[in-house]
Amino acid sequence: MLSMVSKTVSQHIINYISTSSGSKRLLLQDFHDLELPDREDTAIVEHYRSLGLLFKRCTLLLPTKERLKYIHKILADVSCFKFNGCAAPLQCVGLLCYGIFLQTLTAGWDELECHRVYNFLCELTHLSRKMQTVVCSKPGSARKLELRIRLFCRNVLLDHWTHRSDSAFWLTCILKPWPMVNQARLLYIIFGPISPQDGQVVWQKMIEGPTDESCLKGLAEAIKLLYDTGTKEWTADDVISLVDELSVVPREWLLENNARLLILSGNNICFTFMASKAVNGRTIELAKLIVFLALVSEKELYCMDWAVKMMQKVCKVFSTPVERNNFLQSVADAFACAIMEMLQLVMSGDGDDDDRSFMNLFHLVQAQASFHKEVLYLTMNVLPS
């Protein structure tokens, strides 16, 4: 409040911040003494939220470029605010505090000013060059750098915004300079599954076996963010292409994981993705996807009539009766084929995988029964009791 009394008083406060006593009092650095479940509610985080407001008011009359230079000069000695500054980043809330500080500072700024902030941060951290390294390397060959990029992007740029449109803006800044294949890689690095032991990105998770909601929730939320917020840089086709590209990072995912991602991404994205396959004549892929939507619905106890209604809606995308009949035949064939493949796996299985393979087969048979029950209700115009 004092900083807004007059230009003279504001200058006195700026001068005080630059002194050793002001710096010691305001730039707290005990970022590692925290074991609370919700780290955003800690005293030091709130301190940096208030500090962001102080800097916002003190530098109000400066041009954006000068504000950023001044703030960088003051914060330069806080090592945990730097990209590689902390030796124990997973036990540190330094980047989180830096993100909260920047969020408070830039709240209400227009897009042009926020672009300047992003460019300033990229220049400061060489973020673009580091991203270039990870997207052009074999997945997992630069694990520590992948982790640093994830932590910086999530804690500094993405995770604290109240309005989804703000999060979408910063995610767009991160992704849009890159080709689609690199966008998918970056999305996986920033939001994909990580190891609970060392926090590093687990690249094989979607390939090796069925995964759960916790591994896909971050990716699904990011996809919804780009699709739902009406960001002008992203058309529906862009987002669907990104989902398609993501499903082969680092290699083609299991269809069950692909289906689970689509379900978590919501009805609109799920339908648009499947309709795109229908329009492009990828009928067999589409039929297999219907089977795994049914399987995930069965496993997670979702309403099976959702999967049937989704198939019915997609069916209408096909322009002729012949195409629709071919699609429905393909769905029936895909169920039969998936059951036979799982049965062969059970019969040839050994050791620990036996039970898992058998349970997968059990769920698939149950899914087929539930799916066809809903189809019968629909065709017979009978309401389920």
Side-chain angles (χ1 to χ4, degrees):
M1 294 299 290
L2 192 63
S3 69
M4 300 184 75
V5 170
S6 71
K7 189 175 179 181
T8 306
V9 174
S10 182
Q11 188 59 51
H12 279 303
I13 293 172
I14 287 174
N15 293 339
Y16 169 69
I17 292 169
S18 303
T19 64
S20 58
S21 61
S23 175
K24 187 177 180 182
R25 179 183 165 193
L26 294 174
L27 301 182
L28 305 180
Q29 298 195 38
D30 47 341
F31 299 122
H32 300 87
D33 302 335
L34 305 157
E35 293 186 1
L36 299 173
D38 189 355
R39 304 196 301 177
E40 286 201 32
D41 285 341
T42 56
I44 193 166
V45 172
E46 286 307 309
H47 172 81
Y48 275 97
R49 196 187 305 276
S50 298
L51 195 64
L53 187 57
L54 176 63
F55 275 66
K56 186 187 189 80
R57 290 174 174 175
C58 282
T59 60
L60 195 61
L61 299 175
L62 294 175
T64 302
K65 197 171 181 181
E66 295 307 312
R67 290 176 100 169
L68 294 172
K69 281 183 180 177
Y70 168 73
I71 289 162
H72 169 59
K73 181 184 171 187
I74 299 297
L75 300 181
D77 292 333
V78 185
S79 61
C80 289
F81 284 3
K82 296 175 182 176
F83 186 89
N84 284 316
C86 183
L90 292 173
Q91 288 77 48
C92 179
V93 293
L95 288 178
L96 174 64
C97 289
Y98 189 35
I100 293 287
F101 173 90
L102 286 174
Q103 178 208 3
T104 309
L105 177 76
T106 60
W109 289 16
D110 64 31
E111 283 197 5
L112 183 60
E113 288 177 311
C114 290
H115 270 296
R116 287 188 181 129
V117 174
Y118 182 73
N119 292 336
F120 182 81
L121 289 172
C122 282
E123 195 177 317
L124 203 62
T125 59
H126 307 292
L127 185 61
S128 298
R129 196 174 71 200
K130 290 175 168 71
M131 287 179 174
Q132 177 84 34
T133 300
V134 295
V135 297
C136 294
S137 304
K138 184 181 176 184
S141 62
R143 288 187 179 277
K144 289 183 179 176
L145 184 55
E146 290 169 358
L147 174 61
R148 294 280 185 178
I149 288 171
R150 181 188 179 101
L151 291 175
F152 187 85
C153 290
R154 293 288 293 267
N155 287 318
V156 178
L157 298 172
L158 296 170
D159 280 358
H160 326 296
W161 297 99
T162 307
H163 302 294
R164 287 168 59 79
S165 57
D166 290 320
S167 299
F169 168 81
W170 293 101
L171 184 55
T172 299
C173 286
I174 293 166
L175 297 181
K176 265 302 176 179
W178 302 96
M180 189 71 71
V181 62
N182 292 345
Q183 289 177 10
R185 283 276 290 271
L186 284 172
L187 204 66
Y188 195 97
I189 288 169
I190 297 168
F191 294 103
I194 54 172
S195 163
Q197 283 77 37
D198 57 18
Q200 294 181 354
V201 178
V202 183
W203 287 100
Q204 304 305 314
K205 193 76 173 177
M206 305 303 170
I207 302 160
E208 291 178 341
T211 188
D212 58 15
E213 181 177 328
S214 63
C215 293
L216 287 160
K217 194 174 181 181
L219 288 167
E221 288 299 320
I223 291 161
K224 283 196 283 188
L225 192 67
L226 298 175
Y227 189 90
D228 292 341
T229 49
T231 309
K232 60 181 181 293
E233 290 86 356
W234 297 92
T235 65
D237 284 346
D238 287 337
V239 178
I240 296 311
S241 297
L242 184 57
V243 174
D244 216 11
E245 196 65 59
L246 184 64
S247 67
V248 292
V249 173
R251 295 192 307 279
E252 190 170 352
W253 291 11
L254 293 184
L255 267 174
E256 183 175 334
N257 294 333
N258 210 359
R260 194 179 292 274
L261 176 67
L262 289 174
I263 290 172
L264 291 173
S265 297
N267 285 356
N268 290 339
I269 291 170
C270 185
F271 170 71
T272 308
F273 183 84
M274 296 173 79
S276 173
K277 287 193 181 295
V279 168
N280 291 310
R282 293 159 71 176
T283 308
I284 295 186
E285 284 179 47
L286 185 56
K288 288 178 181 177
L289 197 50
I290 293 285
V291 170
F292 284 93
L293 286 177
L295 176 60
V296 173
S297 297
E298 177 65 28
K299 281 186 174 182
E300 301 300 328
L301 304 178
Y302 300 147
C303 291
M304 191 61 75
D305 72 329
W306 172 84
V308 172
K309 284 173 183 173
M310 183 62 71
M311 180 186 73
Q312 189 181 26
K313 195 174 173 185
V314 170
C315 202
K316 292 174 183 174
V317 175
F318 292 99
S319 53
T320 67
V322 172
E323 288 175 327
R324 285 192 283 275
N325 288 340
N326 285 341
F327 167 60
L328 294 174
Q329 181 63 56
S330 296
V331 172
D333 292 344
F335 265 111
C337 186
I339 288 171
M340 287 306 296
E341 284 175 1
M342 284 195 188
L343 182 60
Q344 286 175 343
L345 199 62
V346 169
M347 292 174 72
S348 64
D350 59 304
D352 295 337
D353 283 341
D354 269 4
D355 287 345
R356 192 170 66 178
S357 297
F358 179 78
M359 284 308 296
N360 256 348
L361 176 60
F362 169 76
H363 283 304
L364 184 57
V365 172
Q366 285 290 105
Q368 186 189 38
S370 299
F371 187 86
H372 283 100
K373 178 186 73 178
E374 294 298 336
V375 171
L376 287 171
Y377 283 148
L378 197 67
T379 53
M380 300 297 181
N381 291 315
V382 175
L383 289 173
S385 57

